[in-house]
Amino acid sequence: MTRFASVLLAIAVGSGIGTAALADQTGFASSHDLRKERGRLCMSDHYHQGGGNGATKKAAQAAAIKSWQDFTALEYGSDWASFSRAGGKGMSCSSASTGVECNIEARPCR
């Protein structure tokens, strides 16, 4: 996460508005190349990452997806933040001292 995004997230969380209440479009998406895929508008070569830990693989995957969605919503708005609509998805999970750790990446789509 960039320092700028970290500051924005801290402001949003600290103010109590949370990422779900942020504007649906921040305008930052237009700074990337976009293309139509499967009826969706997607970033053609820009990936976001998310990571999460959990006692089980399912919990770690859910935490990683939430991390991806929260950061994507913060940067581009909630319209872009659905992992189920994302393109080019990848996920890897491994054992960790706390259980399971998963990392994901995907291109935001709306």
Side-chain angles (χ1 to χ4, degrees):
M1 182 179 300
T2 66
R3 182 167 160 70
F4 174 73
S6 296
V7 170
L8 285 178
L9 182 59
I11 291 168
V13 171
S15 68
I17 63 172
T19 55
L22 296 176
D24 286 335
Q25 294 289 319
T26 64
F28 293 131
S30 63
S31 66
H32 299 289
D33 291 330
L34 305 174
R35 69 177 180 218
K36 286 282 191 178
E37 293 179 19
R38 303 177 319 265
R40 300 175 180 129
L41 184 62
C42 297
M43 295 181 188
S44 60
D45 60 0
H46 180 72
Y47 284 78
H48 274 203
Q49 289 78 34
N53 297 310
T56 65
K57 184 175 179 179
K58 184 176 180 177
Q61 288 174 329
I65 290 169
K66 182 176 182 340
S67 169
W68 185 94
Q69 290 181 152
D70 287 350
F71 181 72
T72 302
L74 177 69
E75 192 166 7
Y76 302 115
S78 60
D79 288 353
W80 295 93
S82 172
F83 188 72
S84 65
R85 287 194 310 253
K89 295 180 217 176
M91 181 178 295
S92 63
C93 298
S94 60
S95 295
S97 60
T98 58
V100 180
E101 177 179 281
C102 291
N103 292 294
I104 61 172
E105 70 173 13
R107 291 179 291 104
C109 298
R110 66 178 178 126

PDB file of all heavy atoms in Angstrom, residues 55-70:
ATOM      1  N   ALA A  55      -7.049 -18.819  10.652  1.00  0.00           N
ATOM      2  CA  ALA A  55      -6.853 -20.135  11.245  1.00  0.00           C
ATOM      3  C   ALA A  55      -7.051 -21.238  10.212  1.00  0.00           C
ATOM      4  O   ALA A  55      -6.465 -22.315  10.318  1.00  0.00           O
ATOM      5  CB  ALA A  55      -7.808 -20.330  12.420  1.00  0.00           C
ATOM      6  N   THR A  56      -7.871 -20.963   9.199  1.00  0.00           N
ATOM      7  CA  THR A  56      -8.131 -21.927   8.121  1.00  0.00           C
ATOM      8  C   THR A  56      -7.857 -21.252   6.780  1.00  0.00           C
ATOM      9  O   THR A  56      -7.777 -20.017   6.687  1.00  0.00           O
ATOM     10  CB  THR A  56      -9.594 -22.396   8.135  1.00  0.00           C
ATOM     11  OG1 THR A  56     -10.433 -21.270   7.846  1.00  0.00           O
ATOM     12  CG2 THR A  56      -9.977 -23.000   9.490  1.00  0.00           C
ATOM     13  N   LYS A  57      -7.742 -22.062   5.737  1.00  0.00           N
ATOM     14  CA  LYS A  57      -7.527 -21.517   4.392  1.00  0.00           C
ATOM     15  C   LYS A  57      -8.709 -20.637   3.989  1.00  0.00           C
ATOM     16  O   LYS A  57      -8.521 -19.555   3.412  1.00  0.00           O
ATOM     17  CB  LYS A  57      -7.331 -22.649   3.382  1.00  0.00           C
ATOM     18  CG  LYS A  57      -7.014 -22.167   1.989  1.00  0.00           C
ATOM     19  CD  LYS A  57      -6.720 -23.334   1.051  1.00  0.00           C
ATOM     20  CE  LYS A  57      -6.416 -22.832  -0.350  1.00  0.00           C
ATOM     21  NZ  LYS A  57      -6.112 -23.952  -1.263  1.00  0.00           N
ATOM     22  N   LYS A  58      -9.910 -21.076   4.287  1.00  0.00           N
ATOM     23  CA  LYS A  58     -11.101 -20.296   3.941  1.00  0.00           C
ATOM     24  C   LYS A  58     -11.080 -18.924   4.613  1.00  0.00           C
ATOM     25  O   LYS A  58     -11.387 -17.913   3.988  1.00  0.00           O
ATOM     26  CB  LYS A  58     -12.369 -21.072   4.341  1.00  0.00           C
ATOM     27  CG  LYS A  58     -13.653 -20.401   3.942  1.00  0.00           C
ATOM     28  CD  LYS A  58     -14.859 -21.272   4.280  1.00  0.00           C
ATOM     29  CE  LYS A  58     -16.143 -20.584   3.884  1.00  0.00           C
ATOM     30  NZ  LYS A  58     -17.313 -21.417   4.126  1.00  0.00           N
ATOM     31  N   ALA A  59     -10.697 -18.878   5.890  1.00  0.00           N
ATOM     32  CA  ALA A  59     -10.633 -17.603   6.612  1.00  0.00           C
ATOM     33  C   ALA A  59      -9.536 -16.709   6.039  1.00  0.00           C
ATOM     34  O   ALA A  59      -9.718 -15.494   5.907  1.00  0.00           O
ATOM     35  CB  ALA A  59     -10.394 -17.855   8.096  1.00  0.00           C
ATOM     36  N   ALA A  60      -8.389 -17.291   5.694  1.00  0.00           N
ATOM     37  CA  ALA A  60      -7.294 -16.508   5.119  1.00  0.00           C
ATOM     38  C   ALA A  60      -7.672 -15.966   3.740  1.00  0.00           C
ATOM     39  O   ALA A  60      -7.355 -14.821   3.401  1.00  0.00           O
ATOM     40  CB  ALA A  60      -6.030 -17.362   5.033  1.00  0.00           C
ATOM     41  N   GLN A  61      -8.362 -16.764   2.937  1.00  0.00           N
ATOM     42  CA  GLN A  61      -8.822 -16.299   1.629  1.00  0.00           C
ATOM     43  C   GLN A  61      -9.800 -15.142   1.791  1.00  0.00           C
ATOM     44  O   GLN A  61      -9.709 -14.136   1.071  1.00  0.00           O
ATOM     45  CB  GLN A  61      -9.482 -17.442   0.851  1.00  0.00           C
ATOM     46  CG  GLN A  61      -8.511 -18.458   0.347  1.00  0.00           C
ATOM     47  CD  GLN A  61      -9.189 -19.658  -0.298  1.00  0.00           C
ATOM     48  OE1 GLN A  61     -10.291 -20.053   0.085  1.00  0.00           O
ATOM     49  NE2 GLN A  61      -8.511 -20.262  -1.257  1.00  0.00           N
ATOM     50  N   ALA A  62     -10.732 -15.254   2.717  1.00  0.00           N
ATOM     51  CA  ALA A  62     -11.703 -14.187   2.959  1.00  0.00           C
ATOM     52  C   ALA A  62     -11.001 -12.905   3.404  1.00  0.00           C
ATOM     53  O   ALA A  62     -11.353 -11.801   2.963  1.00  0.00           O
ATOM     54  CB  ALA A  62     -12.738 -14.624   3.995  1.00  0.00           C
ATOM     55  N   ALA A  63      -9.990 -13.031   4.258  1.00  0.00           N
ATOM     56  CA  ALA A  63      -9.243 -11.859   4.725  1.00  0.00           C
ATOM     57  C   ALA A  63      -8.472 -11.218   3.577  1.00  0.00           C
ATOM     58  O   ALA A  63      -8.402  -9.984   3.467  1.00  0.00           O
ATOM     59  CB  ALA A  63      -8.299 -12.254   5.854  1.00  0.00           C
ATOM     60  N   ALA A  64      -7.901 -12.018   2.694  1.00  0.00           N
ATOM     61  CA  ALA A  64      -7.151 -11.491   1.548  1.00  0.00           C
ATOM     62  C   ALA A  64      -8.090 -10.768   0.583  1.00  0.00           C
ATOM     63  O   ALA A  64      -7.765  -9.691   0.073  1.00  0.00           O
ATOM     64  CB  ALA A  64      -6.411 -12.624   0.840  1.00  0.00           C
ATOM     65  N   ILE A  65      -9.248 -11.345   0.333  1.00  0.00           N
ATOM     66  CA  ILE A  65     -10.232 -10.710  -0.556  1.00  0.00           C
ATOM     67  C   ILE A  65     -10.713  -9.402   0.044  1.00  0.00           C
ATOM     68  O   ILE A  65     -10.804  -8.383  -0.646  1.00  0.00           O
ATOM     69  CB  ILE A  65     -11.398 -11.671  -0.857  1.00  0.00           C
ATOM     70  CG1 ILE A  65     -10.910 -12.809  -1.752  1.00  0.00           C
ATOM     71  CG2 ILE A  65     -12.578 -10.924  -1.483  1.00  0.00           C
ATOM     72  CD1 ILE A  65     -11.884 -13.960  -1.910  1.00  0.00           C
ATOM     73  N   LYS A  66     -10.979  -9.375   1.332  1.00  0.00           N
ATOM     74  CA  LYS A  66     -11.402  -8.137   1.992  1.00  0.00           C
ATOM     75  C   LYS A  66     -10.315  -7.076   1.882  1.00  0.00           C
ATOM     76  O   LYS A  66     -10.608  -5.908   1.602  1.00  0.00           O
ATOM     77  CB  LYS A  66     -11.755  -8.390   3.456  1.00  0.00           C
ATOM     78  CG  LYS A  66     -12.241  -7.132   4.163  1.00  0.00           C
ATOM     79  CD  LYS A  66     -12.676  -7.395   5.573  1.00  0.00           C
ATOM     80  CE  LYS A  66     -13.214  -6.201   6.313  1.00  0.00           C
ATOM     81  NZ  LYS A  66     -12.888  -4.891   5.856  1.00  0.00           N
ATOM     82  N   SER A  67      -9.065  -7.469   2.071  1.00  0.00           N
ATOM     83  CA  SER A  67      -7.947  -6.537   1.940  1.00  0.00           C
ATOM     84  C   SER A  67      -7.910  -5.948   0.531  1.00  0.00           C
ATOM     85  O   SER A  67      -7.763  -4.734   0.346  1.00  0.00           O
ATOM     86  CB  SER A  67      -6.638  -7.270   2.253  1.00  0.00           C
ATOM     87  OG  SER A  67      -5.525  -6.497   1.913  1.00  0.00           O
ATOM     88  N   TRP A  68      -8.049  -6.793  -0.493  1.00  0.00           N
ATOM     89  CA  TRP A  68      -8.051  -6.343  -1.886  1.00  0.00           C
ATOM     90  C   TRP A  68      -9.216  -5.386  -2.128  1.00  0.00           C
ATOM     91  O   TRP A  68      -9.049  -4.321  -2.720  1.00  0.00           O
ATOM     92  CB  TRP A  68      -8.139  -7.558  -2.821  1.00  0.00           C
ATOM     93  CG  TRP A  68      -8.036  -7.220  -4.271  1.00  0.00           C
ATOM     94  CD1 TRP A  68      -6.901  -7.221  -5.027  1.00  0.00           C
ATOM     95  CD2 TRP A  68      -9.101  -6.823  -5.154  1.00  0.00           C
ATOM     96  NE1 TRP A  68      -7.198  -6.848  -6.315  1.00  0.00           N
ATOM     97  CE2 TRP A  68      -8.538  -6.602  -6.417  1.00  0.00           C
ATOM     98  CE3 TRP A  68     -10.465  -6.632  -4.988  1.00  0.00           C
ATOM     99  CZ2 TRP A  68      -9.295  -6.207  -7.523  1.00  0.00           C
ATOM    100  CZ3 TRP A  68     -11.217  -6.231  -6.078  1.00  0.00           C
ATOM    101  CH2 TRP A  68     -10.639  -6.023  -7.329  1.00  0.00           C
ATOM    102  N   GLN A  69     -10.403  -5.759  -1.681  1.00  0.00           N
ATOM    103  CA  GLN A  69     -11.595  -4.939  -1.910  1.00  0.00           C
ATOM    104  C   GLN A  69     -11.502  -3.594  -1.187  1.00  0.00           C
ATOM    105  O   GLN A  69     -11.863  -2.558  -1.761  1.00  0.00           O
ATOM    106  CB  GLN A  69     -12.856  -5.698  -1.481  1.00  0.00           C
ATOM    107  CG  GLN A  69     -13.159  -6.859  -2.398  1.00  0.00           C
ATOM    108  CD  GLN A  69     -14.407  -7.643  -2.043  1.00  0.00           C
ATOM    109  OE1 GLN A  69     -15.009  -8.224  -2.927  1.00  0.00           O
ATOM    110  NE2 GLN A  69     -14.803  -7.703  -0.796  1.00  0.00           N
ATOM    111  N   ASP A  70     -11.028  -3.591   0.058  1.00  0.00           N
ATOM    112  CA  ASP A  70     -10.922  -2.340   0.810  1.00  0.00           C
ATOM    113  C   ASP A  70      -9.961  -1.364   0.138  1.00  0.00           C
ATOM    114  O   ASP A  70     -10.266  -0.181  -0.006  1.00  0.00           O
ATOM    115  CB  ASP A  70     -10.462  -2.603   2.245  1.00  0.00           C
ATOM    116  CG  ASP A  70     -11.534  -3.223   3.123  1.00  0.00           C
ATOM    117  OD1 ASP A  70     -12.715  -3.279   2.693  1.00  0.00           O
ATOM    118  OD2 ASP A  70     -11.195  -3.650   4.241  1.00  0.00           O
TER     119      ASP A  70
END
